[in-house]
Amino acid sequence: MASPGTQQLTPDQRLASAKTEIAAFSDMYNRMLKQCFEKCVDHFHDSELSLGENTCLDRCVSKYVDSQQKVGVILQNVTEQMQQI
């Protein structure tokens, strides 16, 4: 079921909204990639990541995704509260 207000969007508005969501996701992905890579990858001597680097990247990505989900839930709640006012 669509959220309130989205049923009245024109196809062009829905397309613009989808493009905005894709851009936001792409930006989040690129920031996560940059931050986790800088934090976890120490050198480029080997062609593959070390066990420690793999572990660090796995934890970093997991924490980043979890934090983004929590922020998303909080923002959604705030938005819903503001719409009720």
Side-chain angles (χ1 to χ4, degrees):
M1 179 174 195
S3 62
T6 59
Q7 296 171 350
Q8 299 172 6
L9 295 177
T10 66
D12 288 340
Q13 290 171 323
R14 282 185 272 174
L15 180 60
S17 178
K19 286 181 179 181
T20 301
E21 286 184 38
I22 290 170
F25 179 80
S26 179
D27 179 58
M28 183 204 70
Y29 176 81
N30 288 328
R31 284 186 286 128
M32 175 188 67
L33 183 65
K34 182 180 185 294
Q35 288 178 354
C36 291
F37 187 83
E38 288 176 355
K39 177 182 178 184
C40 297
V41 179
D42 296 327
H43 55 78
F44 298 100
H45 301 293
D46 301 322
S47 62
E48 295 182 14
L49 296 172
S50 70
L51 179 61
E53 290 169 333
N54 271 321
T55 302
C56 180
L57 286 168
D58 185 48
R59 288 180 181 161
C60 182
V61 168
S62 178
K63 287 180 182 180
Y64 198 93
V65 170
D66 287 346
S67 66
Q68 291 297 314
Q69 287 175 340
K70 288 178 183 178
V71 168
V73 168
I74 291 169
L75 288 175
Q76 184 177 4
N77 290 339
V78 168
T79 301
E80 288 172 1
Q81 290 173 356
M82 290 176 66
Q83 289 176 347
Q84 292 175 357
I85 296 176

